[in-house]
Amino acid sequence: MYELLLSGGLLADPERGTLRAGDLAVHDGRIAATGAPGSLTAREVLDVDGLLVAPGLIDLHTHVFPGRTGLGVTADSVGVEQGVTTVVDAGSCGSDAWPHFRAEVSAPARTRVLNWLNVSRHGLVHGHSELAGGARDLDTAATDALLREEHSAVRGLKVRMSRSVLGDSGLAPLRTAKELAGAHGLPVMVHVGNEPPALAEVLDLLGEGDVVTHAFHGKPGGLFGAGSEPLPQAWAALERGVRLDVGHGSASFSFRTARRALAAGIRPFTCSTDLHCRNTDGPVRSLTDTLGKLLALGMPLMEVLACATVRAAEVLGLAGELGTLRPGSAADLSLLRLREGAVTFTDAEGERCEGSRSLVPYAAVRAGRHHPPTSREAGV
């Protein structure tokens, strides 16, 4: 007999693109089986009637280093408490602060916490110009050692390539990040924003598996440059296997840019939030709210869910372990309510978009352990 059974829900499987009634059994922290309604038994049964049973949502870009940085929120507040089973901190921590991050953030969290290690040794601990000091902001030996020794938690490097961060460092930190990560077969996540450097120059340095976060911002010098068509370098990067990530943030997601990109045939590969203490009350709020914005833009439900499940797991090198409903994979599951009805979403520029559906987190199962309904949905 299995330990836990989720019964009566709709199995939302973005990997296969299917949505079907069915039961899912969990045993020893793993998905043990899926089957037709009523076909499985377990010692504990959760009635999930009316809910989507989806692979555990993965937020590829968060800031969860409170106390040590000015942006941090607790991992669980944007993780299991919002129906999200994995959060990835995106550059809050560099090599200098890694022992503190591991002990203060990863170890006590109920949410799975992974890391994009900042190529700057400081991360964001000393402010937001972590690469303006040139070579003295880098400790390549320590970063290289962490990529080798902490590979289960550190899934790649983060480098912020915008004017306010870099000072006179130019493209050098990105080249360093690419060399260090490439030596370990890991990707780089690149923050893009206000030029310099030009987005075209940044894209030319990226290869298969690398991630451009904030890809759909509305600032000057984005995907479309000063023209009406996407940059040639953007098309070339996509052909090389570079992934475009939403990375909403306080100032980095524009409905206008996203609409133009979708019309041109450029779609988000992944959807993350860039959640931190300055945007949890808006415009970002949560991963499910951000996914709802993609629904409002006309993207299909299964594609939207894939952006925060199977595709996000692929980016992290964890395909088959996370982001899937396959038996044998980690029993990380998000229980979501697909709510029908008018809803208004707001982007980082204050533009509103009317939608007809929203995703509301109900509860989470993380490594086989049930985390009760969120207060927003309790008793509904």
Side-chain angles (χ1 to χ4, degrees), residues 119-130:
V119 72
S120 164
R121 64 185 301 168
H122 316 298
L124 303 182
V125 170
H126 299 310
H128 299 161
S129 299
E130 70 270 21

Side-chain angles (χ1 to χ4, degrees), residues 150-238:
E150 300 284 356
H151 57 85
S152 62
V154 178
R155 306 308 300 180
L157 288 180
K158 172 74 179 297
V159 56
R160 299 203 303 148
M161 299 301 291
S162 60
R163 182 178 59 216
S164 61
V165 178
L166 292 166
D168 296 325
S169 296
L171 293 168
L174 177 54
R175 292 192 175 100
T176 297
K178 282 290 296 175
E179 181 179 352
L180 286 168
H184 299 273
L186 294 172
V188 170
M189 174 181 271
V190 183
H191 155 121
V192 295
N194 289 314
E195 299 179 349
L199 177 59
E201 295 177 333
V202 171
L203 292 172
D204 281 343
L205 293 178
L206 303 182
E208 183 176 4
D210 292 330
V211 179
V212 177
T213 193
H214 309 316
F216 303 92
H217 70 71
K219 304 168 189 174
L223 274 177
F224 292 84
S228 60
E229 298 295 327
L231 295 170
Q233 293 86 353
W235 289 116
L238 291 170

Side-chain angles (χ1 to χ4, degrees), residues 299-350:
M299 290 178 60
L301 174 63
M302 284 299 111
E303 182 183 6
V304 170
L305 289 175
C307 287
T309 56
V310 61
R311 294 182 186 175
E314 182 182 339
V315 165
L316 296 170
L318 294 170
E321 173 67 5
L322 302 181
T324 179
L325 296 183
R326 295 184 208 172
S329 63
D332 284 11
L333 303 161
S334 293
L335 308 182
L336 309 170
R337 191 179 303 281
L338 181 62
R339 180 170 289 167
E340 304 286 346
V343 58
T344 301
F345 296 106
T346 305
D347 70 5
E349 298 186 328

Side-chain angles (χ1 to χ4, degrees), residues 59 82 245-249 253 255 270-275 279 283-297 299 304 307-308 345-346 359:
D59 194 339
Q82 293 189 346
D245 174 58
V246 169
H248 191 307
F253 179 68
F255 286 136
T270 53
C271 181
S272 70
T273 61
D274 185 21
L275 272 166
N279 61 35
V284 183
R285 301 185 186 282
S286 68
L287 179 55
T288 48
D289 198 70
T290 305
L291 294 173
K293 295 176 186 184
L294 299 187
L295 288 175
L297 288 169
M299 290 178 60
V304 170
C307 287
F345 296 106
T346 305
L359 287 166

